[in-house]
Amino acid sequence: MKARLILEDGTECIGTAFGAVTESLGEVVFNTGLTGYQEVLSDPSYCGQIVTMTYPLIGNYGINRDDFEAVRPFIHGFVVREHCDLPSNWRSTSTLDELLKAYEIPGISGVDTRMLTRKIRHFGTLKGMITTSDAPLEELVASLQQATLMTDQVSRVSTKSVFSAPGTGHRVVLVDYGSKHGILRELTKRGCDVVVVPYNVTAEEIRRLQPDGILLSNGPGDPKDVPQSIQTIAQILGEYPLFGICLGHQLFALASGADTEKLKFGHRGGNHPVKELTTGRTYITSQNHGYAVKEDSIAGTGLEVTHLALNDGTIEGLRDVKKQAFSVQYHPEAAPGPYDSGYLFDQFLDMIVSTKEEKSYAKTR
């Protein structure tokens, strides 16, 4: 069946439909990963977006039970150059087409993804539509230009209730703004007693859980769309060691008095170089975000820049030494992508230990 990808600037890409035969709107973005399409599909940070994969062949190793980063995908569409419907992998239990059909997500193949990526890089992210309609292009573009994209993505992907992943180590409250399973895996394999809470948790509810540390997760959309979360973080800053990842990094910055801005086309993929300023070392990182902390807003907040993106110089890490808090814009849990930055979880736990020791020493004085 013929499918059409329509962009708000009037661009039309005609290809072949796969996945669900349905019409869907979203922000069209691109991901530069060579592999990891299952993890990309199931990353809640893509909620509301139509994802274009720059690698030409997608679906060749199928879908398996173990590589999901959430219980279900939240993307609004999938764009590929060539869709493989005969996967070959011993772990595969279903096809990409079957997964998209199961969750009512449309896909389109046969698209010139190189052209599409170049257009997004030049003009920035654009509203788009995947459809099988034969309606005139002008009519579809007009409706697309008038459409409003969702702003409540975090509420859609966050857990609705508190749950725990028991462990014998430090208690970490994981605030779920759309958390990937990889974050929970990194904490539990270090023995942490993890309590996962919804995005709209209050400061008092966090205090009642008596955490040793707090982790602010990744998530979709504009951080300013969740003002309640910013207020909660501001209320608990300095009370517990805190670690922010991706959207959590941006919310930490806003709660500290800094500002954020939308990037032209964002960072999405598993090959982004980031420089750690204290050591001068460069890490290859996994990233998925469309917003960044504004560098000129840091002054006077107590924040220090710890990491920078080498591709465009944007802020990739922050810390507030006095409040025992730090954050990174990229994904140390990877999945997909390199695991070079897993040491940040160890730094978080080291911060928890040192904070406990300081409190214990203060009590004995």
Side-chain angles (χ1 to χ4, degrees):
M1 179 181 293
K2 184 181 79 171
R4 303 160 75 188
L5 171 65
I6 312 294
L7 302 183
E8 62 179 310
D9 68 351
T11 300
E12 179 181 29
C13 300
I14 298 176
T16 302
F18 71 101
V21 180
T22 184
E23 187 170 287
S24 184
L25 305 179
E27 180 185 44
V28 182
V29 301
F30 65 87
N31 183 290
T32 58
L34 304 185
T35 62
Y37 56 82
Q38 180 175 338
E39 293 94 327
V40 169
L41 283 166
S42 57
D43 182 349
S45 294
Y46 284 111
C47 179
Q49 295 179 327
I50 295 174
V51 181
T52 302
M53 299 299 293
T54 62
Y55 189 72
L57 178 62
I58 300 296
N60 53 315
Y61 55 85
I63 301 294
N64 67 78
R65 183 196 67 177
D66 300 325
D67 288 342
F68 284 99
E69 284 300 309
V71 293
R72 57 152 298 160
F74 290 95
I75 70 166
H76 278 200
F78 205 42
V79 182
V80 302
R81 179 71 183 94
E82 181 181 351
H83 158 240
C84 176
D85 56 3
L86 292 173
S88 177
N89 187 288
W90 67 272
R91 299 171 69 221
S92 177
T93 56
S94 65
T95 66
L96 174 59
D97 178 65
E98 290 169 341
L99 175 70
L100 297 185
K101 279 186 169 71
Y103 292 101
E104 291 294 308
I105 299 168
I108 179 172
S109 65
V111 171
D112 185 348
T113 52
R114 184 172 183 270
M115 175 278 294
L116 186 56
T117 300
R118 287 170 62 90
K119 178 178 285 289
I120 295 171
R121 285 182 59 87
H122 183 75
F123 295 104
T125 54
L126 297 163
K127 285 189 291 186
M129 168 194 301
I130 295 178
T131 182
T132 57
S133 169
D134 291 325
L137 176 61
E138 296 77 11
E139 179 182 317
L140 294 175
V141 171
S143 67
L144 185 57
Q145 290 173 342
Q146 296 171 10
T148 301
L149 298 181
M150 65 170 60
T151 59
D152 61 344
Q153 299 98 311
V154 170
S155 66
R156 292 172 182 253
V157 300
S158 175
T159 181
K160 300 299 186 287
S161 58
V162 178
F163 69 93
S164 65
T168 58
H170 306 295
R171 170 166 289 185
V172 174
V173 167
L174 172 57
V175 186
D176 177 19
Y177 304 110
S179 180
K180 291 167 59 184
H181 288 171
I183 294 176
L184 190 57
R185 284 194 298 268
E186 291 296 326
L187 293 173
T188 55
K189 80 179 184 181
R190 288 168 171 81
C192 294
D193 178 27
V194 185
V195 181
V196 184
V197 298
Y199 80 101
N200 55 358
V201 65
T202 66
E204 186 54 38
E205 288 169 338
I206 290 176
R207 293 185 185 110
R208 283 201 292 268
L209 293 171
Q210 301 180 30
D212 297 314
I214 298 170
L215 198 154
L216 310 176
S217 84
N218 65 290
D222 185 344
K224 294 177 183 177
D225 287 338
V226 280
Q228 180 181 348
S229 299
I230 299 169
Q231 182 180 6
T232 296
I233 295 166
Q235 291 171 350
I236 59 174
L237 265 178
E239 294 185 27
Y240 313 96
L242 182 144
F243 178 23
I245 294 175
C246 199
L247 182 67
H249 156 83
Q250 297 162 12
L251 292 170
F252 164 56
L254 290 169
S256 300
D259 196 10
T260 57
E261 61 184 346
K262 185 172 175 59
L263 295 172
K264 186 176 181 181
F265 50 82
H267 302 164
R268 297 175 180 88
N271 56 353
H272 291 261
V274 168
K275 183 176 182 179
E276 185 177 51
L277 300 184
T278 54
T279 64
R281 182 174 179 180
T282 296
Y283 294 88
I284 303 301
T285 67
S286 175
Q287 302 203 10
N288 176 16
H289 59 98
Y291 292 80
V293 178
K294 297 174 67 174
E295 187 174 3
D296 60 7
S297 71
I298 296 298
T301 62
L303 298 174
E304 301 174 9
V305 178
T306 58
H307 298 74
L308 288 175
L310 292 182
N311 286 340
D312 61 8
T314 53
I315 292 174
E316 291 283 347
L318 294 167
R319 70 181 170 202
D320 187 326
V321 176
K322 292 182 179 179
K323 295 181 179 178
Q324 291 292 288
F326 73 104
S327 63
V328 290
Q329 181 64 80
Y330 52 96
H331 288 263
E333 80 285 354
Y339 290 89
D340 302 26
S341 301
Y343 72 94
L344 291 168
F345 290 97
D346 297 320
Q347 286 189 0
F348 176 47
L349 296 187
D350 289 343
M351 181 183 290
I352 288 175
V353 171
S354 63
T355 301
K356 280 185 168 182
E357 290 175 348
E358 289 173 6
K359 289 181 178 180
S360 177
Y361 176 72
K363 287 181 179 180
T364 59
R365 292 189 64 184

